[in-house]
Structures are given as C-alpha cells and as structure tokens.
Amino acid sequence: MTMQPHRSSAALLLLLLFTSAASDPQWLPATATWYGSPEGDGSDGGACGYGSMVDVRPYKAHDGAVSPVLFKNGEGCGACYKVRCLDSRICSRRAVTVIVTDECPGGYCSGGKTHFDLSGAVFGRMAVSGYGSGLRNKGEIQVVYRRTKCKYPRKNIAFHVNEGSTDYWLSVLVEFEDGDGDIGSMHIKPATSENWLEMNHIWGANWCIIGGPLKGPFSLKLTTLSTKRTLSARDVIPRNWSPKATYTSRLNFS
C-alpha cells in the first residue's frame, strides 16, 4: 500500500479555510500586514489626500493602505472592503471594515499582489479578544476580502477646495461618498457655462480643472468607478469660494 505524505495539522487547517473561502464567490484571497503604532491609525494623511481627517471619525479606525491593484492610481481611494483573517487559532470570524486612504506601493504590496497594509488598530481587531498583539507579531498573514458599501451616517458628500486654487486652476478633494466610495470621473459646471466640463484626476481623491477665469457658483457631477452611478450637486461651491474651505452638498449615493 502506498503511503500518502504526512501533512501538518496547521497546513490542513489553512487548506480547509481557503477552500471554505473559495466556495463563497464574494470573498477573495489576499495578504495583510500592519504599519504605524500598534494601536494607531496607520496613515498620517496618506496618498489619497484626506490629510488629518484620517485621524478622526468616520475614517478613524478604518484606515488602510492597499497595493496598486486596488489603489488604481488613486481612483480606488474611498472604496470600502471587508477583510477577515483566516487563522482560526488566533483570529475571530469577525471581518473588519477598511476604507482605502493610502497606497502601499512596494515590499509586500509589489508584484501585482492583492495586499492590505492596515493600521495597527484595524489589524488587531481581527484577532480573538485579547490576542491583538499576538496577531500583530505574526507579520504577514493570509486574509480574504470583499467589497462592501461605504456608509457615512449623517454625512453628505463634501468638496474641499485645495490650497493654491485660483480662478484659473481649481482643485477639489472629494469626501464621504456612500455606496461605491470611489470616483471614475468628475465634471464641473461654472456659472459662466451651460455645459459640463470634464475635470482631470491629478492624484488620490483630488481632481482639477484648468481654464478661466472660472466663476462660481460651481455645480459638480460625480460618476463612480465601480458601478458608474452619477450624482450632481448643484451650485455646491458658492460664488465667493475660498481655498482650504470645505463645502458640503445635500446629497449622497445612499
């Protein structure tokens, strides 16, 4: 009788967990690490441009950097994911919610991998209660992930006019999009135009238009990257707008 090679119980457990995850088409395999302080928020601003907002709710405790395959040159900023650890010996079955606020371009995130580099606080919450530090000590771990709808209770989409904006170069950061969370295209309608003008994606969640003179009020139209949903905020940036100010719409995708 031919003897089969022995497999360790740990290897069998990992195979079983991946088989279970693969049976649910919503969950996909990935890897994860953590950065920053053990109980910290990870990103200090980050490649999406959210700045100090990553340290306060609703972003706080959900910050995550992702590899280029999910970052999508910044168009993946704002997307939300559920991430769950596979090692049942130390991880709970609870998935954490991650908002893309930063990019992880090298190291574990290179080579086309799907990878999440999470804040220490988010990473630790995947562990069984009291074992957060033990999970962080493991370094890179196997996880599964899936897209989830972003939810910002009592928040509407806001537009932050970036520092340096003028009547000839207007740059806007988009915040708090429910649903898909990401942006595939953005258009602006100045007071002096009857047509929607296409804005350029410059980096992260930041878009701009060059022209002018650009006169407010400005209406803005967003189209999500994932499902191509469109939302238009009429006259959301007023005539007397100013750089570094944030203007909140009355709308969201929810």
Side-chain angles (χ1 to χ4, degrees), residues 160-166 169-172 206 242-245:
H160 178 79
V161 178
N162 289 317
E163 185 175 6
S165 291
T166 70
W169 182 85
L170 179 64
S171 173
V172 177
N206 295 277
S242 61
K244 299 193 289 185

Side-chain angles (χ1 to χ4, degrees), residues 29-225:
T31 51
T33 49
W34 64 279
Y35 71 120
S37 60
E39 298 294 339
D41 297 321
S43 177
D44 182 16
C48 288
Y50 298 128
S52 60
M53 288 194 305
V54 300
D55 297 322
V56 296
R57 295 188 183 278
Y59 293 104
K60 181 180 175 64
H62 295 289
D63 297 324
V66 292
S67 56
V69 69
L70 296 180
F71 190 70
K72 302 173 184 176
N73 293 318
E75 290 186 350
C77 286
C80 298
Y81 294 90
K82 292 284 188 181
V83 179
R84 180 162 57 86
C85 174
L86 290 175
D87 188 345
S88 62
R89 296 167 299 176
I90 194 170
C91 295
S92 72
R93 293 186 60 82
R94 180 181 64 252
V96 295
T97 300
V98 177
I99 304 171
V100 176
T101 60
D102 203 353
E103 182 182 21
C104 172
Y108 289 115
C109 298
S110 62
K113 290 179 61 177
T114 302
H115 187 87
F116 293 83
D117 198 20
L118 306 177
S119 70
V122 173
F123 195 90
R125 283 207 306 276
M126 291 190 290
V128 175
S129 180
Y131 285 85
S133 60
L135 181 60
R136 285 188 289 267
N137 288 339
K138 286 183 172 292
E140 185 184 35
I141 63 171
Q142 304 294 327
V143 298
V144 288
Y145 76 100
R146 64 175 174 85
R147 281 292 293 268
T148 189
K149 288 185 177 181
C150 297
K151 297 179 181 178
Y152 298 106
R154 298 179 296 279
K155 290 279 189 182
N156 288 327
I157 295 176
F159 302 93
H160 178 79
V161 178
N162 289 317
E163 185 175 6
S165 291
T166 70
D167 291 342
Y168 294 87
W169 182 85
L170 179 64
S171 173
V172 177
L173 169 74
V174 187
E175 307 165 352
F176 310 132
E177 309 104 281
D178 278 344
D180 292 344
D182 53 22
I183 304 172
S185 65
M186 188 166 167
H187 292 76
I188 189 169
K189 184 189 288 185
T192 54
S193 174
E194 295 186 3
N195 300 314
W196 289 102
L197 308 177
E198 186 173 4
M199 300 185 75
N200 298 310
H201 178 228
I202 48 176
W203 66 280
N206 295 277
W207 297 72
C208 83
I209 186 169
I210 301 172
L214 301 166
K215 299 297 183 182
F218 301 107
S219 299
L220 293 169
K221 180 168 66 175
L222 307 177
T223 302
T224 68
L225 179 67

